[in-house]
Amino acid sequence: MTPADPAEIWTYLRQDPLLWLTATLVAYSLGDLAFRRAGRKPLVNPVLVAVALLAVLLRLTGTPYQNYFEGAQFVHFMLGPATVALAVPLYANLRLIRSAFWPMLTALAAGSVTALVTAVGIGAAFGLRGETLLSLAPKSVTAPVALGVSETIGGAPNLTAVLVIITGITGAVVATPLLNLFRIRDWRARGLAVGVAAHGIGTARAFQVNETAGAFAGIGMGLNALLTALIAPLLAPWLVALLAG
C-alpha cells in the first residue's frame, strides 16, 4: 500500500469547513488564554491575538480566504444571536438606562455623526476617493449592519469588513487607558462610548471590565447601528462629494 502524500492530505483537509471552524475556535481560545495570563491587559486582546494567529496560519498554508470563510461563517452566523443576547444585561440595568436616557441619546447622536464624518474626512485628506472612501463611513458599526450600509451607499463590503474589525480591536485596546487618562469614572458613560465607537469587540471588552459598562456598551452598539443605517445613506455620499469631489 502506497503511503499517502502529506501535501495531498493537506489539500484535501483544507477544503473541509470543519477544519477552519475548529482553527477559529482554537485561535480564540489561545487568545483568551494569553489575555488571562497577561492579567487582562488591553493590548493582549483575544480577538487581536486570534486574528494574528489565523492570518499567519492562512499565509503559511496558502489557504484562500474563501476556503477559510466556508468554515468561519458558522461563527459569523452566531453574531446575530449573540447581539440579541445582549438584551439580558440591558434588562438587568433598565433602571440605570431610564435615568440617563436623554444624556445617552445626545451622546449617541454626537458619537455616531462624529464617527462617520471623521472617517470620511480623514480618508479624503489622505487622498482616498470613491468606493474606498465610502467604505470607511460605517466602520464603527457592528459587522452585519456595516456590510449592508456599505453596499447601499456604494462602498466595498469586503473592505468595510476589514475596517470594522480594525476599528473594534483598536477601540477595545485603547478605550480603557484613554478613558482612565481623561478620568471618566461613570461606568455608563464609559460603556456607551466604547459601544458607539468600537461595536461588538469593544462591547465584549466593556463586559470584561464592568457589567454596567457592558450593558451600556450594548446599548451604544445597537442604537449606533440603527442610527448609522439611517443617516449614512444621506450623509456619506454628500460628504464624499464635498470633500473629494
Side-chain angles (χ1 to χ4, degrees):
M1 184 175 180
T2 304
D5 183 355
E8 291 182 0
I9 294 175
W10 171 249
T11 300
Y12 171 77
L13 286 176
R14 75 176 185 175
Q15 306 297 324
D16 186 354
L18 184 59
L19 173 66
W20 298 112
L21 174 61
T22 303
T24 302
L25 296 176
V26 169
Y28 184 82
S29 297
L30 292 174
D32 187 58
L33 178 63
F35 176 64
R36 288 186 277 111
R37 290 285 179 87
R40 299 184 178 273
K41 288 184 171 55
L43 283 174
V44 193
N45 184 273
V47 177
L48 176 59
V49 174
V51 168
L53 290 174
L54 288 169
V56 171
L57 178 61
L58 295 179
R59 179 71 175 177
L60 290 177
T61 60
T63 303
Y65 176 77
Q66 290 78 6
N67 288 359
Y68 164 75
F69 191 71
E70 286 182 12
Q73 65 180 329
F74 296 109
V75 178
H76 180 76
F77 170 78
M78 293 305 297
L79 283 174
T83 302
V84 174
L86 290 172
V88 175
L90 297 187
Y91 180 78
N93 290 273
L94 195 57
R95 182 182 58 80
L96 288 174
I97 293 168
R98 285 174 175 168
S99 67
F101 178 75
W102 289 112
M104 185 174 67
L105 200 61
T106 303
L108 168 70
S112 184
V113 173
T114 299
L116 194 155
V117 171
T118 54
V120 174
I122 293 172
F126 278 91
L128 299 181
R129 295 293 182 270
E131 182 184 59
T132 303
L133 193 56
L134 286 166
S135 301
L136 280 166
K139 68 172 182 59
S140 293
V141 182
T142 186
V145 177
L147 299 183
V149 170
S150 180
E151 186 174 8
T152 298
I153 64 178
N158 289 341
L159 177 58
T160 298
V162 175
L163 295 169
V164 166
I165 293 172
I166 293 173
T167 300
I169 291 175
T170 303
V173 169
V174 306
T176 297
L178 193 61
L179 292 169
N180 289 341
L181 178 65
F182 285 99
R183 298 181 180 179
I184 298 174
R185 307 300 182 198
D186 190 320
W187 290 116
R188 298 171 299 174
R190 290 173 69 107
L192 187 70
V194 173
V196 170
H199 53 82
I201 300 175
T203 298
R205 171 59 182 163
F207 270 114
Q208 291 170 344
V209 176
N210 180 272
E211 184 177 340
T212 299
F216 274 80
I219 296 172
M221 178 184 72
L223 293 182
N224 185 44
L226 175 61
L227 185 56
T228 301
L230 294 174
I231 67 173
L234 301 174
L235 188 57
W238 176 79
L239 277 173
V240 170
L242 177 67
L243 298 173

